[in-house]
């Protein structure tokens, strides 16, 4: 039964109006750690250690107070100052973030020679200046204490790091000699890697091959597009992913392809997609229609207008149905294949109708790793005339090149003893990220020489003989070709960290290979041999593709400055030649089991490469909002409008921060998992993220691994007849509940704004006289004691509507805003006067967030953490509602209860001009600036937390513990895990000097006991203003951009001076879909949101 | 250090006192000898001119070469030519060289390629004054030379106020005794009245009893609390502040010499001030811009400058940077620079003696002490000089030099004091928040000159045009708001 709900909700307890939810929504501070500390303190026993501690403290305190001796601080200037560096001024270098097939052209911000932040490079036509969460977090991995500081031998599964601290390990010369000694010209060598996008790296491998002719490069991707490449090879003779143009598509049908989050080139696709999704003029409102066919709510699915729920195993049937519907209309032969239920088939046919109505301006994509299904998708696109329009091969993507069957062959060869040596490139972790990892590990024992280039130890490194770590990309020279003809350079932004500390240091993998091959192409005498090699290759190839520069040096300087060199090739005319009936025969048959499970990639963890990055671990998953681990998503049903049922009645206590743990059996392998209830999860299916459950993560990772974050799902995956990895399993079975996860870290119910008033039966309370929902605010004010404390009706948090009814939506917003304004006029405070006298001159900072463009990808969230030194707190602290993020992305559901639409709302300090937090601060630590900023002064804050209580948006964060180790006395420092997570030196995270190098020197590192919150990146505002003043000119829009704004791939966030009529933000403020969150409470916020509009059609409602 | 300073001040005070008296006595005689006074005026004028024009290249002791030759005895060397030749040489030396003047050619051959800057604006009288100053300095008979004997920029102590504390203390004591006596008299009189009226108390309170009475004790405790609180608060506010902080630096760099005497612009070395948050302590290679030429200091000889050479790896004997200096063993470094110090010692002495050996060793020890910092793990001579940071702001305070220097056009001296007069730099300002705020309250924004300010603040512009407002201070444009300095 369809139950439509016009309101938005965030979860089951919100719908049922659970008393616990009411309480949680009112309770600002959850589970104070003070209670626990007090408990400890109250214990009567005083140990000798305690006595010594207090004695030490008193002594220290007395010394400080009495002596007043200020420590002597040193200022160390350069001996010879590099011309490009002015201490205190940031220098930006263009470079490229590359991790396997993940690509982003970036500008790296360095301060005094250390990279502290990554921004998008707007000169790139691929990423258009956008970034992803992974890109933003990559700077932290440079300072990962897990990284190997030099080459090491590995014995018995352990890296031979000298046990004595700072003792010298083996030198490169020693290791080089040993490895070269084991290589013979006839050796059968395999180089195993994730996708290599770099033309120069491939050239280096070719040069290596010249010396060792029996070398083969094997590429694979943990989340593979193997079937897509094979299908394109079969149909068009092009074994690549084509160039998709989501910006030209008016109808998009995606079968399980998470193109906004993780599929092939998400930054590029998100930017293109958003162009057709935002609405600026409601009179000529247009919007593409996006239909997602899937079982689990993916990030892309959550943005879709319609989701057609289909089991993972029935994806093939869905594709066959769509093909037949399109073929029937375009006069192509129908194919026979598996069938969908009639209800599902009707929806697919409706999608076919949409597609056919927009031939040449539609796009069908599929994430499936079945070759037959991909060929059918190609046939559909061909029938729709999309080739040459929304799909072309000229600028085809090279971001997925891995072929599953190659790696299968490698595993066979290894086990057959036909491999003499294997080199495993950085990022690739086959002992973990292959479904047949066990066979791979077995095969490894039969290989003579095994070398790992991985920067930090992983599951595969420990199986090798040598660890010869490569540089982090921020220390490397290199290049990338993400799309044909789109080149991008990688340049180092810091001297290799460990070598500079006097250790043996890391060395670029390509250089190591060339040295072992002792080829003439590498000038080993040069200061930076690989730079020479790279330049030579560019001179011989890229330089010849252009005519703007006469000399190579000029060309090189320009390319290095821009970071990118783009010489797009002409589009390639292709003709479809595929056997559709043979393809249909290959299509998967829908499974018959009661429960199926799909394994999906998340925006933060990828295939597991990013597991060692705490920023990404702590970034809530956009859809299920859980952190630090993968959680088993189970479906929920909502029956009769007020009763919900979850699968096996699991997770009734999510609201209390507790979740059930179940034992799940797949292919007779069992694992224990924490459950999370997920709206939009198809009945009869489960969902689970891959990339978690890593065992070996280096030094910091060792500690992480003690409790193993999440579960490893690779062993549950299967391999089809073509050798392609399948990311689902048909035979999932919940064996039973094991125990409860007492530290269920899901931010879903943290910091909730507003509650819809319902009675205990879940019915909306209506005003007796009008019949309308009761306005509890008014009621409470009028008759004291009559209202319900905290029960608030219909607050304006989210506005959403359908494209068809957009005028109605705009009118509704206008009405509500007029009403709010009328309410707001009833004030005794002369706001108008302030506004005229103070805010009308100078700057007034405003932000605009377009909810139609926001896809919820989380790049802004990580960017904010990097820019503002926001601490990482760990799973247990998140569970206690102590996450510190200044910017959160709220996820709301609306529409159909069982298959809802989603709206993401980035929520940060709204910088209210009439801020409720400011009035209640007893020490005026938070107050207002003449530029409309809600200022927070940490050194004045005494930690009463009244402001956080009084903040209607719940954006203020309190440092309960010393997360940053910034306190004078080390007490209450925070270890990130339940079991006290120690890093290598037994230090809390952020205490290590290497980790601290990531801190932004322009932003105070907050200590324990103060409130902090979004500052609108005031350090950037001040810097922008100073630039304008020094150049004696008015401020430009480009002078001041917040970190979240620059990180956003879709341009959803715009920031600027609202007083300047020509600024982008001022223009956006005229959008008729704009509204202000909680406008009716008269806080005069500075952030405006544009309402979410979906493009739904009845044809899809069954 | 402090002791010596105060002694000197006293001596100069006595000296000055004496001088005044002598001056009074000799007033008549002085009037009778106007030529002498005139001479002194000329030499003083010459001194100023020398400092402004010549001192950048010529050593002020007139005896040693610097970028340009030592000037002592110039007139004797030019004696065989007409006076006008020397004058035109000073005004435009290259013209003289081109004209082929024999003395000019000789000098050019000796000093090329360095050419002397032209001073076409100097009048004959001014040149004469400079020459007079050079002559008397060289011969050591300038009037008032004794007073100028110490470091030239030694700040002249202002006449100290007489110390009246003893007087006040005495006065307070007398008054206290007086009060006590009067109180006693009063109480006696009271007692007598009581006796007269016949209702005298049985027991008369003694002085001790009065002093130990509840009222007095309560008053004393109250006074102690107030005084104690006041002192505590005052000292607590001062906690962490270090106005007047004047630590010893690894190199005895004299701002008085560089900024005061040589008039090198502050921002020549502190080149971050105009464009960065930090003013930037100059890198050692900035020092080398000048000290490639000036290899022996005027005050400390080789003692301090060799430290810079040892930091960057410059061999002053051969005027070359040492290749692969980073890998050079310490013994070699020691040998090299000791030789340099020794060579310079021999310039002034006939042969190496015990004092010379000791000097060489002392200077080398100084170099080691300045450049090595074992507690920080710096065990090498090579590498940066670790200066002691004088101006420290707490981490939560953001200060930007560029904002104040480039935009606000604030003089360096406003916050740093007369650095050009400091031998050893000390913290001039308290660097307290109150001090910052006061300045922001008073300082006028460069409202008219900067197009940025012209673009905004429409109301202030109107008010100024209407004459309702005379100035816009930093406070008026939000300079007191928290997040201007704390974020």
């Amino acid at each position: 039964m369809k139950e439509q709900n016009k309101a938005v909700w965030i979860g089951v307890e919100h719908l049922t109006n659970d008393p616990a939810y009411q309480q949680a929504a009112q309770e600002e501070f959850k589970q104070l750690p003070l209670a626990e500390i007090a408990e400890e303190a109250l214990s009567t026993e005083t140990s000798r250690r305690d006595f010594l501690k207090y004695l030490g403290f008193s002594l220290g305190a007395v010394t400080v107070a009495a002596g007043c001796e200020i420590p002597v601080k040193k200022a160390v200037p350069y001996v010879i100052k590099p011309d490009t560096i002015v201490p205190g001024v940031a220098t930006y270098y263009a470079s490229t973030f590359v991790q396997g097939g993940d690509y982003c052209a970036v500008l790296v911000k360095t301060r005094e020679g250390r990279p502290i932040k990554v921004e998008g490079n707007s000169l790139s036509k691929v990423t258009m200046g956008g970034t992803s969460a992974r890109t933003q977090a990559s700077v932290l991995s440079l300072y990962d204490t897990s990284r190997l500081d030099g080459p090491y031998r590995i014995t018995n599964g352990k890296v031979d790091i000298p046990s004595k601290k700072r003792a010298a390990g083996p030198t490169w010369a020693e290791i080089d000699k040993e490895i070269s000694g084991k290589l013979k010209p006839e050796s059968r060598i395999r180089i195993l890697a994730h996708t290599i996008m770099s033309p120069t790296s491939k050239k280096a491998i070719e040069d290596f091959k010249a010396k060792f002719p029996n070398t083969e490069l094997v590429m694979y991707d943990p989340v593979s597009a193997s079937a897509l490449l094979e299908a394109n090879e079969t149909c068009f003779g092009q074994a690549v992913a084509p160039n998709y143009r989501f910006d030209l598509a008016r109808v998009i049908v995606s079968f399980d392809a998470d193109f906004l989050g993780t599929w092939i080139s998400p930054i590029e696709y998100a930017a293109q997609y958003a162009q057709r999704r935002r609405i600026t003029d409601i009179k000529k409102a247009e919007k593409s229609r996006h239909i997602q066919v899937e079982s689990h709510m993916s990030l892309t699915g959550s943005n879709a207008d319609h989701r057609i729920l289909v089991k993972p195993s029935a994806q093939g049937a869905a594709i066959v149905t769509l093909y037949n519907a399109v073929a029937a209309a375009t006069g192509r032969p129908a194919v026979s294949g598996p069938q969908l239920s009639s209800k599902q088939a009707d929806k697919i046919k409706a999608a076919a109708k949409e597609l056919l109505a927009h031939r040449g301006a539609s796009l069908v994509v599929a994430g499936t790793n079945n070759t037959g299904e991909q060929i059918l998708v190609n046939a559909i696109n061909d029938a729709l005339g999309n080739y040459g329009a929304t799909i072309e091969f000229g600028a085809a993507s090279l971001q997925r090149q891995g072929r599953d069957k190659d790696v299968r062959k490698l595993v066979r060869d290894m086990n057959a003893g036909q491999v003499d040596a294997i080199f495993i490139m950085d990022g690739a972790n086959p002992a973990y990220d292959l479904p047949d990892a066990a066979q791979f590990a077995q095969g490894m024992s039969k290989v003579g020489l095994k070398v790992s280039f991985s920067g930090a130890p992983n599951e595969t490194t420990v199986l090798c003989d040598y660890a010869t770590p490569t540089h982090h990309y921020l220390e490397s020279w290199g290049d990338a070709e993400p799309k044909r003809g789109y080149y991008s350079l990688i340049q180092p932004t810091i001297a290799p960290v460990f070598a500079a500390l006097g250790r043996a240091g890391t060395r670029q993998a390509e250089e190591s290979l060339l040295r072992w091959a002792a080829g003439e192409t590498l000038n080993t005498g040069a200061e930076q041999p690989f730079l020479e090699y790279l330049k030579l290759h560019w001179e011989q190839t890229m330089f010849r593709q252009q005519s703007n520069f006469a000399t190579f040096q000029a060309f090189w300087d320009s390319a290095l400055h821009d970071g990118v060199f783009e010489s797009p090739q002409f589009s390639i005319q292709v003709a479809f030649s595929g056997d559709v009936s043979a393809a249909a025969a290959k299509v998967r048959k829908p499974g018959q089991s009661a429960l199926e499970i799909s394994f999906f990639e998340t925006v933060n963890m990828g295939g597991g490469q990013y597991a060692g990055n705490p920023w990404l671990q702590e970034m809530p998953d956009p859809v299920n909002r859980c952190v630090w681990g993968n959680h088993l998503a189970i479906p929920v049903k909502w029956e009769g409008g007020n009763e919900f049922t979850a699968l096996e009645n699991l997770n009734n206590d999510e609201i209390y921060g507790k979740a059930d743990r179940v034992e799940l059996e797949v292919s007779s392998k069992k694992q224990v998992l924490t459950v999370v209830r997920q709206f939009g999860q198809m009945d009869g299916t489960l969902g689970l993220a891959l990339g978690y459950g890593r065992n070996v993560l280096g030094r910091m990772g060792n500690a992480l691994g003690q409790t193993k974050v999440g579960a490893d799902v690779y062993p549950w995956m299967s391999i089809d007849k073509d050798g392609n990895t399948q990311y689902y399993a048909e035979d999932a079975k919940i064996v039973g509940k094991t125990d409860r996860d007492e530290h269920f870290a899901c931010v879903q119910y943290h910091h909730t704004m507003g509650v819809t008033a319902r009675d205990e039966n879940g019915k909306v309370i209506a005003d007796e006289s009008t019949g309308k929902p009761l306005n509890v605010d008014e009621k409470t004010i009028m008759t004291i004691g009559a209202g319900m404390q905290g029960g608030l009706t219909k607050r304006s948090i989210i506005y959403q509507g359908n494209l068809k009814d957009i005028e109605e939506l705009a009118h509704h917003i206008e009405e509500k805003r007029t009403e709010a304004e009328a309410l707001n006029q009833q004030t005794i405070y002369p706001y108008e006067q302030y506004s005229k006298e103070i805010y009308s001159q100078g700057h007034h900072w405003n932000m605009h967030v377009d909810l139609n463009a926001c896809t919820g990808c989380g790049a802004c969230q990580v960017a904010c953490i990097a820019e503002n030194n926001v601490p990482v707190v760990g799973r247990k602290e998140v569970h206690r509602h102590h996450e510190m993020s200044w910017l959160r992305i709220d996820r709301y559901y609306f529409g159909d209860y069982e298959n809802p639409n989603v709206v993401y709302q980035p929520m940060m300090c709204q910088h209210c001009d009439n801020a409720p937090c400011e009035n209640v601060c007893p020490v005026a630590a938070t107050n207002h600036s003449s530029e409309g900023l809600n200022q927070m002064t940490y050194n004045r804050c005494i930690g009463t937390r009244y402001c956080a209580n009084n903040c209607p948006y719940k954006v203020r964060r309190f440092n309960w513990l010393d997360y940053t180790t910034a306190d004078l006395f080390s007490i209450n420092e925070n270890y990130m895990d339940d079991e006290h997570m120690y890093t290598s030196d037994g230090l809390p995270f952020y205490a290590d000097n290497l980790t601290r190098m990531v801190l932004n020197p322009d932003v105070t590192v907050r200590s324990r006991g103060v409130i902090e919150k979004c500052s609108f990146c005031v350090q950037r505002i001040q810097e922008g203003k100073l630039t304008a003043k020094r150049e004696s000119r008015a401020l430009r829009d480009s002078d001041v951009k917040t970190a979240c704004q620059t990180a956003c791939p879709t341009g959803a966030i715009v920031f600027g001076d609202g007083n300047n009529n020509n600024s982008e933000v001022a223009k956006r403020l005229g959008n008729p879909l704009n509204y202000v969150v909680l406008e009716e409470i008269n806080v005069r916020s500075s952030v405006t949101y544009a309402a979410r509009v979906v493009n739904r059609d009845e044809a899809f409602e069954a | 250090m402090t002791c010596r300073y105060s002694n000197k001040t006293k001596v100069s005070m006595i000296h000055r006192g004496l001088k005044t008296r002598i001056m009074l006595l000799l007033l008549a005689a002085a009037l009778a000898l106007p030529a002498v006074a005139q001479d002194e005026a000329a030499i003083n004028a010459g001194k100023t001119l020398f400092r402004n024009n010549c001192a950048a290249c010529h050593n002020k002791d007139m005896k040693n070469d610097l970028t340009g030759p030592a000037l002592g005895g110039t007139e004797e060397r030019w004696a065989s030519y007409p006076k006008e030749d020397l004058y035109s040489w000073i005004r435009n030396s290259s013209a003289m060289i081109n004209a082929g003047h024999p003395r000019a050619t000789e000098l050019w051959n000796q000093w090329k390629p360095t050419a002397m800057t032209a001073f076409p604006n100097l009048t004959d009288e001014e040149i004469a004054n400079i020459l007079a100053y050079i002559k008397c300095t060289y011969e050591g008979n300038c009037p008032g030379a004794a007073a100028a004997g110490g470091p030239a920029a030694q700040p002249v102590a202002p006449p100290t106020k007489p110390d009246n504390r003893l007087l006040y203390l005495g006065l307070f004591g007398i008054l206290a005794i007086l009060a006590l006596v009067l109180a006693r008299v009063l109480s006696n009189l009271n007692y007598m009245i009581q006796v007269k009226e016949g209702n005298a108390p049985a027991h008369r309170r003694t002085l001790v009893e009065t002093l130990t009475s509840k009222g007095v004790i309560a008053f004393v405790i109250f006074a102690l609390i107030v005084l104690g609180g006041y002192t505590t608060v005052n000292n607590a506010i001062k906690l962490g502040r270090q106005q007047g902080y004047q630590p010893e630096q690894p190199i005895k760099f004299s701002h008085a010499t560089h900024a005061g005497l040589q008039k090198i612009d502050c921002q020549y070395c502190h080149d971050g001030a105009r464009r960065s948050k930090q003013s930037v302590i100059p890198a050692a290679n900035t020092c080398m811009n000048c000290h490639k030429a000036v290899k022996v200091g005027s005050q400390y000889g080789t003692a301090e400058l060799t430290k810079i050479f040892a930091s960057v790896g410059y061999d002053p004997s051969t005027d070359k940077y040492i290749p692969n200096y980073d890998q050079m063993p310490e013994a070699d470094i020691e040998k090299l620079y000791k030789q340099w110090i020794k060579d310079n010692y021999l310039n002034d002495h006939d042969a190496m003696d015990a004092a010379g050996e000791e000097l060489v060793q002392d200077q080398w020890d100084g170099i080691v002490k300045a450049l090595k910092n074992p507690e920080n793990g710096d065990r090498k001579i090579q590498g940066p000089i670790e200066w002691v940071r004088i101006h420290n702001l707490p981490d939560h305070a953001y200060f930007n030099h560029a904002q104040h220097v480039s935009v606000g056009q604030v003089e360096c001296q406003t916050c740093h004091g007369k650095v050009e007069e400091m031998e050893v730099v000390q913290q001039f300002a308290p660097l307290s928040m109150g001090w910052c705020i006061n300045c922001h309250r008073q300082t006028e924004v460069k409202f008219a000159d900067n197009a940025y300010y012209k673009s905004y603040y429409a109301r202030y512009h109107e008010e100024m045009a209407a004459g309702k407002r005379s100035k816009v201070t930093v406070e008026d444009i939000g300079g007191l708001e928290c997040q201007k300095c704390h974020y």
Side-chain angles (χ1 to χ4, degrees), chain A residues 495-508:
Chain A
V497 172
F498 298 110
L501 293 174
R503 324 273 173 83
T506 49
R507 188 173 74 188
Q508 199 144 354

Side-chain angles (χ1 to χ4, degrees), chain A residues 426-467:
Chain A
D426 185 37
N429 187 8
Y432 163 81
D433 63 12
L434 286 178
D436 44 356
Q439 285 95 306
F440 177 84
Q442 230 166 48
M444 280 291 266
S445 60
K446 294 180 183 152
V447 179
L449 173 67
K450 298 152 300 211
V451 180
S452 164
F453 288 115
S454 183
N458 59 26
E459 287 79 352
T460 314
T461 310
V462 295
L463 299 177
C464 292
D465 307 319
Y466 295 98

Side-chain angles (χ1 to χ4, degrees), chain A residues 68 73-75 77-79 87-88 837 841 843 927 929-930 935-937 939 1002 1004 1018 1029-1030 1032 1035, chain B residues 239 275-278 281 283-285 373 384-385 387 389 396 400 450-452 456-457 459 481-483 487:
Chain A
C68 305
K73 288 185 187 158
K74 295 289 178 74
Y78 286 96
V79 176
E837 281 178 10
Q841 67 168 351
H843 307 288
N927 51 41
S929 92
S930 54
Q935 313 176 106
M936 184 65 223
T937 322
N939 42 319
D1002 289 338
T1004 311
V1018 64
K1029 285 176 187 172
R1030 284 182 55 209
S1032 187
L1035 194 88
Chain B
L239 207 71
R275 52 184 175 169
S276 167
K277 155 186 180 181
Q278 279 122 18
I281 292 181
N285 68 334
N373 202 354
I385 302 150
W387 300 90
R389 206 182 148 108
H396 57 256
N400 194 312
N450 195 321
Y452 172 84
Y456 301 97
Y457 305 104
R459 191 159 54 81
E481 290 163 5
C482 303
Q483 240 169 27
Y487 46 83

Side-chain angles (χ1 to χ4, degrees), chain A residues 216-509:
Chain A
E216 268 175 43
L217 169 65
V218 179
M219 287 192 282
Y220 76 101
D221 291 297
V223 181
S224 161
S226 201
L228 176 70
L229 305 189
E230 274 158 34
N232 285 335
E233 194 171 31
T234 314
C235 303
F236 307 106
Q238 306 267 346
V240 286
N243 183 23
Y244 293 111
R245 294 293 301 272
F246 288 89
D247 52 335
L248 301 178
R250 298 172 63 122
V251 179
I252 299 161
V253 175
S254 162
F255 292 92
D256 234 352
D258 184 17
F259 60 84
L260 295 176
T262 55
W263 192 65
I264 302 181
S265 187
I267 303 171
E268 180 187 5
Y269 300 155
Q272 294 176 349
Y273 177 80
Q275 283 184 33
R276 287 248 166 211
R277 299 292 285 177
R278 57 161 45 108
I279 291 163
T280 43
D281 186 354
I282 59 163
K283 296 273 180 271
K284 286 178 279 178
E286 257 186 48
K287 193 165 183 150
S288 64
R289 176 163 291 154
H290 171 197
I291 301 146
Q292 184 85 2
V293 186
E294 63 183 10
S295 62
H296 169 263
M297 173 89 82
S298 67
L299 178 73
T300 305
S302 66
N303 280 288
D305 299 307
H306 289 283
R307 287 172 72 240
I308 302 176
L309 296 182
V310 166
K311 278 186 176 194
S313 66
Q315 282 282 341
I319 291 170
V320 168
T321 312
L322 182 67
Y323 172 78
N324 282 339
V326 170
T330 52
R332 293 190 180 220
V335 293
S336 60
Q339 298 295 311
L340 283 180
S341 74
S342 65
K343 231 183 200 177
Q344 289 169 324
D346 286 348
K347 288 186 186 176
I348 296 281
K349 280 171 193 157
K353 221 167 120 190
E354 285 284 323
L355 286 168
L356 288 162
H358 295 95
R359 291 184 206 190
S362 58
L363 188 53
V364 181
V365 291
T368 166
N369 206 20
N370 177 300
T371 317
E373 290 168 17
Q374 288 288 5
I375 290 174
L376 285 179
V377 170
N378 284 354
I380 295 168
N381 276 319
D382 188 50
L384 292 169
N386 290 339
Y387 285 99
T390 54
I391 312 175
E392 59 95 28
F393 281 95
S397 170
L398 303 174
Q399 292 169 81
R400 292 289 183 278
Q401 298 175 34
R403 302 294 279 267
D404 288 356
K405 61 180 182 197
D406 293 353
V407 79
R408 300 284 110 80
K409 181 173 176 292
L410 173 74
V411 172
R412 277 199 305 276
D413 288 352
M414 282 165 66
N415 278 301
Q418 287 166 358
V419 176
D420 298 320
I422 186 163
F423 296 118
I424 297 152
M425 302 298 267
D426 185 37
N429 187 8
Y432 163 81
D433 63 12
L434 286 178
D436 44 356
Q439 285 95 306
F440 177 84
Q442 230 166 48
M444 280 291 266
S445 60
K446 294 180 183 152
V447 179
L449 173 67
K450 298 152 300 211
V451 180
S452 164
F453 288 115
S454 183
N458 59 26
E459 287 79 352
T460 314
T461 310
V462 295
L463 299 177
C464 292
D465 307 319
Y466 295 98
T468 54
T470 188
H471 294 324
H472 186 264
Y473 85 91
L474 291 171
E475 305 165 322
S476 305
W477 281 106
D479 57 1
E481 190 184 5
K483 289 166 84 174
R484 284 179 181 159
Y486 291 76
Y487 302 103
S488 184
L489 275 170
I490 302 171
Q491 67 171 315
T493 53
I494 186 170
V497 172
F498 298 110
L501 293 174
R503 324 273 173 83
T506 49
R507 188 173 74 188
Q508 199 144 354

